[in-house]
Amino acid sequence: MTLADVVAAAMFLGVIAYALLGGADFGSGFYDLTAGSSRRGGNLRTLIDHSIGPVWEANHVWLIYILVIWWTGFPAAFAAATTTLFIPLALALAGIVLRGASFAFRKYAATLAQARLFGAIFAGSSLITPFFLGTVAGAVASGRVPADGYGDRVRSWLNPTSLTGGALAVATCIFLAGVFLTADADRAGLVELSEQLRRRTLGVGVATGAVIFAGLYPVWHDAPVLRRGLVGTALPLLVIAAVAGTLTLVLVYRRRYSVARFSAASAVGAVVAGWGVGQYPWLLVDQATIQDAAGAHATLAGLLVVVALAGVVVLPPLGYLFWLTQTASWTRS
Amino acid sequence: LGGLLIDGEVRWALVIPRLGSVIARNSLTAPVPGLDTVPPSERPPVNITHLAFQSMVAVGTLLAVSVAIYWLTRWRGYDLLGNRWFLRFASIAGLLAIVALECGWIATEVGRQPWTVWQVLRTKDAANPWSGLWWSYIGVLIVYLGMTVGAYVVLRSMARRWRGGEEDLPSPYGPADTTVPTVETVSSEESRG
């Protein structure tokens, strides 16, 4: 394990955290989008507002964390990825910007018509963003980002592995959000809403599992390096994902929502970790290993100090925020 | 102070001797390196930078002076809040602050051209060479124009409702006459019971 490996691992922890915390946040857009007419969906939309309001844009700290470590620790690989993949990255960014703004606008919209417009933009961009970030992951994992950058601007992210990555990102977000929203509704004593969300989460869970394991097929043929990793070192993680995912469905079915949140997060975390472990030691598959791409030694050492400081300064308040929003105290205020 | 660079000559500027040396070099005689020390190929668009910087300083000075005048007259026993012209000025002061801010950005960003990183990376080398870059620029413009309109509409409506005496500004997730309880009402009922 070299210094570069440690920094890359710290960066990848950010990827997992963003997939879990940002994912639960993004996925709520799906339930907002499909909540039905303004009369039928009013309750669910209010719940979503209440659930993600306090963490609103907080989860994007992980994206910033990832980008800054990537940029400073592995600058050449960062340049290669951004010059090749700037279309999906720009679209993901547009989604993040539109999503945050329209979520806030909807909360204070004067009329129902305005709230509908902003709500549709919020919900739509909530799904667009993870999709395009997923295609970026697919491009990296299938070796379509050349080490010198300026790869194919379109085919680098419009290919079987990228589309699988996009679908997977969207599906896991929806699955996580379903479990968390059901738990929220249950905690708030909204029986009708939690029952409705429970049914939908069960459906979404089955579909997500299907997407993940069906996604192995295009990856099998399109991304040989990732395939070797997935059946090799990353296999235990895939098993954990399958077990935790199934366990989540059982727990949701038996209405044990607050425990289900942990198994759902474990399942999604294991899937994301499986990708990272599967493509190790490559940073850009087939193009640059973590060693090749590493920047100056002093920068990497400095980054580790920053990561440690950020851990001390940022994690406790963030943990407190989640504790507040995920326990009864926030629900009752 | 002021003035424009036309055909390589400074025109209509107010010349104040020695002050520049005092500000930049802490000396009455030391020369301040001028634009003539920069090769023409490495000069930024001079007039845009110059005017933006001077406008920023002018607006900033105006705002600071107006605050000083307000407190001075108040100390002398006259309340400017009763003066219509002062209130008119105060209402555009917020806008002027934004103008100063934008001018400051123009001064730094235009002023550092043609460099992105000074003497390391030129802007034309830093930019993505793809011709479709215009499309992403247009896209960004449209997204931000839309959000500006959205922010304006929502903020104006909030101000209108606050002036009308509303305090909570409930979110319109459903028709106003909805009878189903919201999260807030249910949970507050629970905590009471």
Side-chain angles (χ1 to χ4, degrees), chain A residues 38-39 42-43 45-46 49-50 86 97 101 105-112 114-115 118 150 153 188-190 331-332, chain B residues 128-130 133 143-144 147 150-151 153-154 157-158 161 169 171-175 177 180-184 186-187 190:
Chain A
S38 44
R39 188 179 296 277
N43 256 358
R45 295 197 172 101
T46 310
D49 212 48
H50 195 72
F86 79 88
V97 169
F105 291 165
R106 176 175 76 168
K107 193 164 175 58
Y108 295 104
T111 64
L112 186 57
Q114 275 180 23
F118 291 134
Y150 302 104
R153 285 180 204 98
L190 299 166
T331 318
R332 295 189 188 285
Chain B
N128 192 321
W130 186 41
L133 219 53
V143 165
Y144 276 85
M147 288 204 305
V153 167
V154 171
S157 88
M158 287 170 79
R161 283 176 288 163
L169 305 191
S171 311
Y173 295 112
D177 61 343
V180 274
T182 62
V183 177
E184 279 82 5
V186 168
S187 47
E190 264 190 0

Side-chain angles (χ1 to χ4, degrees), chain A residues 104-155:
Chain A
F105 291 165
R106 176 175 76 168
K107 193 164 175 58
Y108 295 104
T111 64
L112 186 57
Q114 275 180 23
R116 271 187 175 149
L117 173 68
F118 291 134
I121 296 174
F122 156 70
S125 49
S126 292
L127 297 178
I128 286 170
T129 305
F131 176 79
F132 284 112
L133 290 176
T135 62
V136 168
V140 169
S142 58
R144 288 186 165 90
V145 179
D148 298 329
Y150 302 104
D152 193 311
R153 285 180 204 98
V154 176
R155 267 179 300 177

Side-chain angles (χ1 to χ4, degrees), chain B:
Chain B
L1 206 61
L4 280 175
L5 188 71
I6 295 169
D7 299 332
E9 277 187 52
V10 179
R11 297 204 188 169
W12 310 305
L14 176 65
V15 180
I16 306 173
R18 305 204 182 274
L19 189 61
S21 291
V22 175
I23 293 173
R25 305 290 305 270
N26 261 337
S27 153
L28 284 174
T29 50
V32 179
L35 209 55
D36 51 358
T37 62
V38 180
S41 66
E42 292 178 16
R43 285 180 196 167
V46 176
N47 283 325
I48 297 177
T49 313
H50 177 67
L51 287 178
F53 182 73
Q54 300 238 320
S55 310
M56 176 189 78
V57 175
V59 171
T61 311
L62 177 70
L63 292 175
V65 165
S66 65
V67 172
I69 290 177
Y70 170 77
W71 285 106
L72 209 66
T73 52
R74 197 183 145 98
W75 176 60
R76 301 285 295 169
Y78 178 71
D79 193 358
L80 273 173
L81 289 181
N83 182 310
R84 290 189 77 83
W85 282 104
F86 184 77
L87 291 177
R88 282 190 183 125
F89 170 76
S91 71
I92 62 162
L95 209 63
L96 283 177
I98 295 176
V99 169
L101 183 114
E102 293 299 333
C103 281
W105 275 108
I106 292 170
T108 53
E109 298 306 307
V110 176
R112 69 177 170 149
Q113 300 305 326
W115 301 103
T116 293
V117 181
W118 190 54
Q119 297 201 336
V120 175
L121 183 65
R122 279 175 183 269
T123 303
K124 68 174 167 56
D125 300 323
N128 192 321
W130 186 41
S131 59
L133 219 53
W134 278 106
W135 290 108
S136 72
Y137 181 64
I138 292 168
V140 168
L141 218 58
I142 291 172
V143 165
Y144 276 85
L145 266 175
M147 288 204 305
T148 307
V149 172
Y152 179 81
V153 167
V154 171
L155 286 175
R156 290 298 296 172
S157 88
M158 287 170 79
R160 195 175 58 241
R161 283 176 288 163
W162 269 322
R163 243 180 263 137
E166 288 180 58
E167 278 175 9
D168 284 350
L169 305 191
S171 311
Y173 295 112
D177 61 343
T178 179
T179 48
V180 274
T182 62
V183 177
E184 279 82 5
T185 56
V186 168
S187 47
S188 60
E189 274 160 22
E190 264 190 0
S191 54
R192 254 181 263 126

